[in-house]
Each structure stands twice: as C-alpha cells, then as structure tokens.
Amino acid sequence: MAAKISTKSALIVFLAVLSISQCCYGKLEFGSYKETCPNVENIVFKVVKEGFIKDPSVAPAMIRLYFHDCFSNGCDASLLLDGTSSEKKATPNLSVRGYELLDDIKTALENDCHGVVSCADIIALATRDLVTLASGEKTRYEIPTGRLDGRESTALSVDLPSPQLSVSQTAAMFAKRKLSVDDMVLLLGGHTIGVAHCSFIKDRLYNFKNTNKPDPSMDPKLVQELRGKCPEKSSTDGIINLDQDFSSSNIVDVSFYKQINSSRGILQIDQELANDGMTKKMVTDLAKGNDFLARFGQAMVNLGSVGVKDEQNGEIRRSCRSCNNLFCTK
Ligand code: HEM
C-alpha cells in the first residue's frame, strides 16, 4: 500500500513538474495572451516584417535595445519612457534605436485588443521576430510573455558593462542578473550583426592601455583595415561592422565566434571571450558546431526573464513612451 501511494505521489509530482516546465518561466507563461489577445504574435510579426523590409538595420538595433532594457532594472520597457533624465538619456543608450517600430506595434495592438499587451512583451516578441528574420528564417525560439511595464526610469540607474571590462568582471555583472557564463558567451553572440562606432575601438587601434601601440590580441591585418575606416584624428565618429565577415555581417549566424577565434573581434570584450580561460573552450566549440542559433534563442529567453515586474510595481502602459500615472519616476 505504502509503495502504491508513493508511486502515485511521485507520478503527481512528476506531472506537476512537467506541466510547469511546459507552461511557465518564472512569472512568465508561453501564450499568456491566448484568451485576451489571441492574434498578438501575428500582429507583432506583420508590423516587424514591414519594418525589417524597409530597414534591415532595425534587427541589430532591437536586439541591442532588448539587452539594454533587460540589463538595467529588468525587462520592463523602462528604456522606452520619454523624460529629461530617463534611461534613454544615459550615455550608453544615446545610440539605441528602434523606438518608432515599437510605437507602430503598440498602435496596431491597441487597435486589436486595447490595454492588454505590455510594452515589455512587445520588445521581447519583436526582438524574437527580428532574430528570425535576420537569420534568414533559420531559427525561431518560443518566448514566454506576461511582463509588466515599469513605472521608474532614471538615467542614473542605468548599469551596463563597458567593452573594456574583463571577462570575469563582465561575468559578475551577468551573474547579478542570474545569467550564467554560458548565457553571457551566447548573448555576446548578438555581436554577429550590427555596427559599432569607431570611438569604442580607437584605443585598440592606436594606444592600447597607454602603450601607444595597437591591442596585441588584434590581428595586425585587421588593425590596418580598421585604421583606414577609423582614422586617429577625425572630426566624425565612423561606424564599422561588429562581424567582420562581410558575407554575413548582416546575418545572425555563428560567424562571430569564428571571427573572434581568428583574432578578428571588434570590441575588446568580444576578443577577450576567445582568449580568456573561462570562456575560450566554449567559443571554440561554438565556432565549430552548428547549435549556436538554438542556444542563442534559449539565452535570449533567459535574458527576457530578468527583473520581471509584478502588479505592485508594474502596469500595462497605454503608450510605450509614458506611464499611465503622471507621477512615475523619470
Ligand atoms: C558585455 C556586454 C556588452 C558590451 C560591453 C556591449 C557593447 C556594445 C557596443 C559598445 C556597441 C556599439 C554601440 C555603438 O557604437 O553605438 C554594441 C552594439 C551592439 N550590441 Fe552590444 N554589448 C554587450 C552585450 C550585448 C548583448 C548581450 C547583446 C545581445 C543580446 C548585444 C547586442 C548588440 C548589437 C546587436 C549591437 C549593434 C547595434 C546596432 O547596429 O545598432 N550586445 N554593443
């Protein structure tokens, strides 16, 4: 009898765990809008696809926006709030783009199901769709929803890593958000697409750590190529591709890891991933294997669960640019 009961209880526990693992992700849930806004994913994809066709560079822009929003104060769309000293005014956010596409998606969703879908979920869904489109539809990950929009956004609270930090310092910042070293290596694979301003790498090209020499970890041929695009003395801040394989610099794929394995990383932190003992084996394995796209998707889901708000500190905003209550902090 005792054996029967324990088998039965074990089965119940097993089924409960199974249903949780298929249903929810922290406070988030797959298909959380299926009753309240069943068309949400189709509407987001339609608007995103139109935006991507008009300007494919919205893909890297949105991937970066998602990272900057989630990393500072959680995935709560606090980066979207307009204000004289809101998050978008912080220095690392000044070159963040993608706000207009998010406004278009919000308008389309408000027309279909008013006051239901949060701006934080719109960012997560739009980013997922842009990863799909920019991979040439080679990947698509499911992303749980149910995020609420934050009511606080201050430039002073923005806490993002600088490209000059070491791998262990960067890993510590990820760990604070419950993101593992593996998540960090995979998420930095986001630098498979998009651009960086010359100002972020001039030290690597001309005066690395005040040596008056270039960064010795950069392929000397690449140093020469990049010096051509980023002259030491220039009145403008040029841009260069983060993925130096020109056949794939606009495609989400594994080539970022191949580039850094050949000393052709652009940002200092990118290159350090391939050189640091903590991460180099993973980089080599990713560069050789064919599972980057699926693993990147899982890491993006993990990033999307950072600091999700509850009813006490979150809401469904009417406009992504302002919170519902006039007295929110920004
Ligand atoms: C240690 C962490 C990171 C650092 C230090 C970092 C730094 C940077 C810098 C300096 C730029 C260039 C910005 C500019 O010139 O305007 C950039 C661009 C970008 N970052 Fe990161 N990043 C980090 C992590 C991530 C992660 C985790 C993702 C993706 C989930 C990501 C996605 C991107 C993308 C897609 C761009 C290109 C944006 C565009 O073309 O508009 N970054 N990043």
Side-chain angles (χ1 to χ4, degrees):
M1 179 71 175
K4 253 192 190 165
I5 290 170
S6 67
T7 315
K8 202 173 159 192
S9 343
L11 184 68
I12 291 170
V13 171
F14 172 73
L15 289 174
V17 169
L18 190 73
S19 74
I20 287 169
S21 66
Q22 287 182 343
C23 131
C24 308
Y25 204 90
K27 290 167 199 152
L28 306 175
E29 205 185 322
F30 290 101
S32 70
Y33 294 111
K34 61 180 179 292
E35 309 291 341
T36 51
C37 192
N39 265 329
V40 59
E41 302 214 6
N42 295 333
I43 295 171
V44 173
F45 186 71
K46 183 174 173 290
V47 182
V48 163
K49 193 165 182 183
E50 285 164 8
F52 179 75
I53 289 169
K54 258 193 251 156
D55 174 12
S57 81
V58 75
M62 193 65 72
I63 295 170
R64 181 165 179 243
L65 184 154
Y66 176 64
F67 169 58
H68 283 212
D69 183 46
C70 290
F71 217 75
S72 277
N73 309 308
C75 306
D76 64 351
S78 47
L79 177 55
L80 308 190
L81 289 173
D82 285 336
T84 45
S85 54
S86 65
E87 281 180 34
K88 57 169 68 158
K89 294 286 162 56
T91 308
N93 286 334
L94 292 177
S95 56
V96 168
R97 299 176 296 121
Y99 303 112
E100 293 74 18
L101 180 60
L102 295 169
D103 291 338
D104 292 348
I105 301 169
K106 179 69 171 170
T107 305
L109 286 171
E110 288 298 300
N111 287 338
D112 195 63
C113 31
H114 178 64
V116 173
V117 183
S118 69
C119 299
D121 278 341
I122 293 175
I123 299 174
L125 291 169
T127 304
R128 184 274 308 274
D129 290 344
L130 285 160
V131 169
T132 298
L133 291 165
S135 72
E137 311 218 8
K138 288 214 170 69
T139 189
R140 184 179 188 280
Y141 53 90
E142 295 302 322
I143 180 115
T145 48
R147 294 167 192 80
L148 291 176
D149 299 325
R151 296 196 192 93
E152 279 181 31
S153 176
T154 57
L156 279 177
S157 69
V158 168
D159 185 20
L160 288 160
S162 119
Q164 273 83 21
L165 292 186
S166 68
V167 169
S168 56
Q169 287 169 323
T170 309
M173 291 187 75
F174 277 70
K176 239 171 107 182
R177 278 98 180 152
K178 301 197 177 70
L179 295 168
S180 66
V181 172
D182 284 16
D183 288 325
M184 175 186 76
V185 174
L186 290 161
L187 288 168
L188 271 159
H191 291 166
T192 170
I193 188 171
V195 294
H197 287 85
C198 291
S199 47
F200 286 106
I201 61 149
K202 276 210 174 152
D203 61 328
R204 297 194 73 206
L205 301 181
Y206 298 100
N207 188 15
F208 187 63
K209 297 194 172 155
N210 291 323
T211 56
N212 271 322
K213 292 195 178 119
D215 182 344
S217 72
M218 187 186 279
D219 172 1
K221 258 179 65 194
L222 181 62
V223 172
Q224 287 316 316
E225 286 160 34
L226 294 178
R227 281 181 169 182
K229 291 176 185 150
C230 299
E232 188 171 18
K233 295 194 177 23
S234 164
S235 54
T236 54
D237 194 4
I239 51 169
I240 45 174
N241 290 331
L242 282 165
D243 177 349
Q244 282 290 309
D245 172 353
F246 289 99
S247 63
S248 80
S249 47
N250 298 321
I251 300 173
V252 171
D253 66 0
V254 74
S255 71
F256 167 78
Y257 298 98
K258 297 187 175 161
Q259 292 294 305
I260 59 176
N261 249 353
S262 315
S263 307
R264 292 178 62 83
I266 293 297
L267 302 177
Q268 190 178 321
I269 184 64
D270 295 347
Q271 191 52 55
E272 291 208 355
L273 286 183
N275 300 347
D276 190 286
M278 197 196 297
T279 47
K280 73 198 266 188
K281 183 172 182 316
M282 185 169 173
V283 167
T284 318
D285 291 347
L286 280 167
K288 277 195 297 215
N290 48 14
D291 58 350
F292 165 66
L293 286 179
R295 295 184 69 191
F296 181 62
Q298 183 56 53
M300 291 291 270
V301 170
N302 297 347
L303 175 60
S305 72
V306 173
V308 170
K309 301 287 176 289
D310 56 27
E311 274 74 17
Q312 309 297 310
N313 51 14
E315 61 188 13
I316 309 282
R317 255 178 240 154
R318 286 187 288 271
S319 153
C320 291
R321 288 175 183 269
S322 52
C323 35
N324 298 342
N325 185 323
L326 281 178
F327 301 107
C328 71
T329 319
K330 51 188 174 98

